[in-house]
Amino acid sequence: MEGEQIELSVHTFHSAIPLLRVNPLFHKSRDLLQLPKVECTHGSRKILLTCVLDMNLRQGEFALSESAAKALRLTEYTWRMPAQILPQGVRFGPLIGILSNPLWDREKRTLKQTKQLPALKRLVEAGRTHGAVCFLFRMSDVNLRSGTVRGYVLHEGRWHRRDLPMPDVIYDQLVSRKLERDPNVQEKRQALTKRYKEKFFNDGFFDKWQIYEWLKESVDVKAHLPRTVRHTTMEKAIAFLNTHSVSFLKPLHGSLGLGIARFVRQRDGSVIYEQKQKTSSVLRGKASSSERALETFRTRLKQRPYIWQEGLPLATYEHRPLDIRILMQRDHTGEWKRTKMFARVAKSGDFTSNLTAGGDAMPVDDAIAQCLPKQEQKNRAKSQIRRLSQQIVDAVEKQSGKQFGELGIDLGLDTSGKVWVIEVNSKPRKTPTTEKGRQDLVDLSFERPIRYAIYLATSTSK
């Protein structure tokens, strides 16, 4: 049995001996006083202390000798913190490390404002609300030899840089694929993955071919996958274009719809193509044949890996493409739950529905009501969406051999009401506020991964 979660005020004092002082009226004090030595842990740090009475302390206050606090890497931001009284001693925390890319401003002595920082701040605040200490860190901040990490903590509304023990759990929120490919990052990631196992969750990115290979192994999911092949030669690419009236070319490692190209074959054999170059820029052109169309992409196809995907007769909303985004997350019991679900409608003239490119969000029921004329089709679509979202997370975890705390799933809907898998993302984008959606679900999307991290930290031994 785990100990009761409490909040302690921690003080320090000078002492030549490593000591823990407790108030005799605190109901757990006598349990600690009966121990020859009290085991105190903070993340990966663990020390043994002699426990003594201190009548000057209030209930819920502990005092540590400065040498003990230093050994545990407790700093001023943790002077009031969650803790558990265990049979063998005291565990401060849990300590949750959020892997990201915080940038330190040397002049201002705080973190620089980045696009991701508001979301990361919300995660740290959710940790405090639910009884954990969360901090941000970069992979370069990890010192595997000393078992410490340079972390960025939020204290009284300001970010501070502190040396901390390795955390109890790591939540991967590194959204830079460029950093992900850095050899130094990869080496440390492998070491942390081996050490933490399931306690390092959402570890790394997916690539689109990898996801396809995993999902096709599931009998339930396979029927909802559009035909997909990996790009190998120009000859095979031409054959794919000539087989399908609509084809998509997608970079293996991509996000936000960038780099995706759509090819539409006309009756006379000519091909209209368009490629998403930036969030607000689309390259368009027409070629007399599939061969000529692919000449435009020859250099790109040599520079990075791609997949080819069959274009489907997807339903549209006011002649604009749409898809359905589902955020699946584990909760505080470790069970998968659907946190958010909404339809994304592409802006006029675009062929991808990403909100960052100007797409609109709307309730799924409203989108389905507009797209599908028959009630039978509407019912079929809703049933498939509910069932398929759970089948996808099960298939990804089974085939990858990894455990995840959240997955973003993009589904398409064809004109008959059948649901198709478009993409699965291990780093679903979350924003702290919403203009059109429900703020309570936005808040929940930040709380669930942190509460899942707490569940991992406290439910099983490391």
Side-chain angles (χ1 to χ4, degrees):
M1 290 289 291
E2 292 293 330
E4 174 190 358
Q5 190 80 5
I6 58 175
E7 188 171 84
L8 296 174
S9 292
V10 183
H11 306 274
T12 60
F13 59 91
H14 294 287
S15 173
I17 304 172
L19 292 175
L20 170 68
R21 291 178 175 173
V22 298
N23 183 294
L25 298 178
F26 182 55
H27 68 289
K28 292 286 185 178
S29 294
R30 53 181 164 273
D31 296 336
L32 298 176
L33 290 165
Q34 291 175 3
L35 299 171
K37 291 285 185 178
V38 174
E39 182 181 277
C40 291
T41 60
H42 180 219
S44 62
R45 288 296 173 110
K46 182 184 298 184
I47 60 172
L48 294 174
L49 300 175
T50 300
C51 186
V52 297
L53 289 174
D54 188 339
M55 298 296 293
N56 295 316
L57 292 174
R58 299 174 183 175
Q59 290 196 51
E61 288 186 343
F62 277 28
L64 285 166
S65 56
E66 288 180 347
S67 60
K70 184 177 179 180
L72 287 171
R73 290 293 198 275
L74 289 169
T75 63
E76 71 277 9
Y77 90 99
T78 54
W79 289 160
R80 187 161 186 83
M81 70 180 305
Q84 287 179 301
I85 307 299
L86 303 173
Q88 71 274 22
V90 183
R91 177 166 65 191
F92 297 103
L95 191 61
I96 310 299
I98 302 175
L99 174 60
S100 48
N101 187 34
L103 302 176
W104 185 250
D105 190 322
R106 292 184 179 180
E107 292 184 4
K108 296 181 179 179
R109 299 189 62 79
T110 190
L111 288 180
K112 294 180 180 179
Q113 286 297 323
T114 62
K115 289 182 178 180
Q116 194 189 14
L117 191 59
L120 296 173
K121 181 182 178 184
R122 177 62 72 85
L123 290 170
V124 170
E125 292 170 340
R128 176 61 70 180
T129 299
H130 292 287
V133 176
C134 296
F135 67 91
L136 311 181
F137 75 100
R138 297 185 302 251
M139 195 65 85
S140 59
D141 296 319
V142 175
N143 188 325
L144 293 170
R145 182 171 297 178
S146 66
T148 59
V149 57
R150 176 64 60 89
Y152 302 87
V153 300
L154 188 63
H155 180 55
E156 296 181 351
R158 185 177 177 84
W159 293 100
H160 301 266
R161 188 164 56 176
R162 296 289 183 267
D163 288 329
L164 301 166
M166 293 298 292
D168 296 303
V169 173
I170 297 175
Y171 174 28
D172 188 350
Q173 285 290 277
L174 183 61
V175 295
S176 169
R177 290 178 183 266
K178 182 179 179 181
L179 277 176
E180 173 83 11
R181 291 192 290 270
D182 185 301
N184 294 324
V185 170
Q186 291 180 349
E187 183 179 353
K188 284 187 178 178
R189 180 182 289 279
Q190 290 172 1
L192 292 177
T193 300
K194 184 177 180 180
R195 171 177 174 173
Y196 279 86
K197 300 182 176 62
E198 76 278 0
K199 293 190 178 186
F200 183 2
F201 68 94
N202 283 63
D203 176 11
F205 286 98
F206 296 149
D207 73 53
K208 293 179 176 63
W209 181 248
Q210 182 183 64
I211 282 291
Y212 176 76
E213 295 247 282
W214 288 342
L215 294 182
K216 75 176 184 179
E217 293 302 314
S218 167
V219 175
D220 296 322
V221 180
K222 185 176 181 179
H224 298 271
L225 298 174
R227 187 186 173 215
T228 304
V229 298
R230 190 163 184 170
H231 175 78
T232 52
T233 66
M234 293 296 281
E235 290 74 18
K236 290 183 178 180
I238 292 168
F240 193 93
L241 282 182
N242 288 335
T243 302
H244 305 286
S245 57
V246 179
S247 303
F248 285 90
L249 177 65
K250 298 182 177 182
L252 216 62
H253 309 283
S255 59
L256 305 178
L258 300 181
I260 293 178
R262 180 173 68 169
F263 299 81
V264 182
R265 192 162 48 84
Q266 308 297 299
R267 289 184 178 181
D268 63 359
S270 63
V271 175
I272 296 174
Y273 58 84
E274 46 192 345
Q275 184 187 35
K276 192 84 170 179
Q277 294 184 312
K278 297 179 181 179
T279 54
S280 58
S281 173
V282 177
L283 168 70
R284 291 183 173 88
K286 184 175 181 179
S288 59
S289 65
S290 298
E291 294 90 333
R292 291 292 179 88
L294 283 174
E295 280 299 322
T296 307
F297 294 83
R298 182 179 289 274
T299 302
R300 293 185 183 89
L301 289 168
K302 289 180 179 179
Q303 292 175 339
R304 57 195 296 198
Y306 284 86
I307 60 167
W308 287 98
Q309 198 166 79
E310 167 193 10
L312 302 166
L314 296 180
T316 60
Y317 179 85
E318 296 179 350
H319 306 292
R320 294 184 290 163
L322 85 141
D323 63 21
I324 295 163
R325 162 58 64 93
I326 301 171
L327 177 61
M328 295 289 290
Q329 295 178 309
R330 289 188 186 272
D331 66 6
H332 63 286
T333 69
E335 295 297 318
W336 280 106
K337 304 290 183 181
R338 188 175 68 238
T339 302
K340 290 195 299 181
M341 180 172 71
F342 56 93
R344 303 184 303 177
V345 184
K347 71 177 182 180
S348 183
D350 206 340
F351 64 92
T352 62
S353 57
N354 297 83
L355 301 184
T356 54
D360 294 320
M362 64 184 303
V364 171
D365 285 349
D366 292 353
I368 290 177
Q370 289 287 332
C371 295
L372 300 175
K374 298 179 181 179
Q375 188 60 44
E376 181 184 345
Q377 293 174 331
K378 296 182 178 69
N379 295 340
R380 179 190 183 197
K382 291 178 184 178
S383 175
Q384 286 186 29
I385 290 169
R386 287 192 296 268
R387 185 175 66 252
L388 193 56
S389 57
Q390 183 63 54
Q391 291 169 342
I392 288 170
V393 296
D394 290 343
V396 169
E397 287 195 325
K398 180 180 178 181
Q399 296 302 321
S400 68
K402 292 183 177 182
Q403 193 159 299
F404 297 90
E406 61 182 356
L407 291 174
I409 300 171
D410 295 339
L411 302 176
L413 186 67
D414 71 18
T415 51
S416 73
K418 182 176 179 177
V419 177
W420 296 86
V421 182
I422 298 175
E423 193 167 343
V424 181
N425 185 357
S426 66
K427 300 288 187 297
R429 183 172 175 266
K430 298 187 290 292
T431 55
T433 58
T434 179
E435 293 182 3
K436 297 180 180 180
R438 288 173 49 185
Q439 186 62 44
D440 61 325
L441 295 182
V442 171
D443 295 340
L444 186 61
S445 71
F446 286 89
E447 292 169 7
R448 274 185 167 162
I450 295 302
R451 297 194 72 184
Y452 174 59
I454 295 170
Y455 162 80
L456 289 176
T458 58
S459 62
T460 55
S461 60
K462 188 175 278 189

